[in-house]
Amino acid sequence: MKKFTMNGKEVENCGLITLRDRSEVYKVKWAGNFYCWKIISDDDRFNHTYEQAYKNYDAVKDKSRLVMVHSTWRDSDGRFNVLMEYLEGFRRLEYIENDPRVYEIEAMLINEGYFMFDFTPINFMVKGEDIKMIDLDTLAKIDDFIMNQNDV
């Protein structure tokens, strides 16, 4: 099983949650709390970096429907790491079209000047009436995107 350390202390790996082409997500336990630890390889499909995306996350004022991000960093292999809240009891959203809450999140982001390149069901978790966007890797500033398009 993969080993993790945080601030020089070993973190308990509670198991793999998701394995995709460019990322892996683990449930970990550290300092008595559960977290999701995401490890991402760079993706040249998008014209921005993960550092930019999570800087944008920091600037979003209303994070009530976004997963809470605790820390981000690059590891010694150059992969981007995200430590975020573990959403106990949540499940993946199955269909975006049938859930108006997704469009409320999109409208909230647009009102604050941001948008997502990758707005798909796999990026949302639900529990009853609660919904959270969990994949913030492609969160972009609208003004930056428009400026980049004008450069083309």
Side-chain angles (χ1 to χ4, degrees):
M1 194 177 271
K2 190 173 187 80
K3 297 216 183 253
F4 297 98
T5 57
M6 176 74 71
N7 297 333
K9 295 183 180 177
E10 188 169 322
V11 175
E12 181 183 346
N13 181 348
C14 299
L16 181 68
I17 296 173
T18 304
L19 181 62
R20 299 184 68 198
D21 290 345
R22 293 180 172 84
S23 67
E24 47 198 83
V25 180
Y26 296 88
K27 178 180 179 182
V28 299
K29 188 174 184 180
W30 182 64
N33 296 304
F34 289 107
Y35 299 91
C36 282
W37 188 321
K38 184 175 185 178
I39 305 168
I40 319 163
S41 299
D42 284 328
D43 186 345
D44 58 3
R45 294 178 298 165
F46 304 108
N47 192 22
H48 77 287
T49 66
Y50 297 125
E51 286 84 358
Q52 288 170 317
Y54 285 90
K55 183 178 178 184
N56 292 336
Y57 165 83
D58 287 339
V60 171
K61 291 179 183 75
D62 182 1
K63 294 182 178 74
S64 61
R65 290 189 164 182
L66 306 180
V67 68
M68 182 188 307
V69 175
H70 297 286
S71 185
T72 62
W73 68 96
R74 290 248 175 214
D75 62 23
S76 59
D77 295 326
R79 294 175 304 169
F80 194 75
N81 288 251
V82 182
L83 187 68
M84 63 187 108
E85 74 178 303
Y86 177 74
L87 299 171
E88 185 70 47
F90 279 70
R91 64 175 176 74
R92 294 263 185 198
L93 182 66
E94 294 179 30
Y95 302 102
I96 283 182
E97 308 82 42
N98 299 331
D99 200 319
R101 298 172 297 178
V102 170
Y103 301 108
E104 291 168 6
I105 294 172
E106 183 177 39
M108 178 270 301
L109 288 172
I110 290 170
N111 284 337
E112 289 199 33
Y114 300 94
F115 74 100
M116 294 292 294
F117 284 104
D118 189 12
F119 216 75
T120 58
I122 198 167
N123 294 332
F124 294 88
M125 301 279 293
V126 293
K127 178 181 178 184
E129 295 302 310
D130 201 4
I131 185 168
K132 296 272 187 168
M133 177 180 268
I134 60 168
D135 190 341
L136 306 167
D137 304 340
T138 64
L139 184 59
K141 212 171 181 182
I142 292 171
D143 290 345
D144 292 345
F145 181 75
I146 291 169
M147 286 178 12
N148 286 336
Q149 293 301 308
N150 290 336
D151 292 342
V152 176

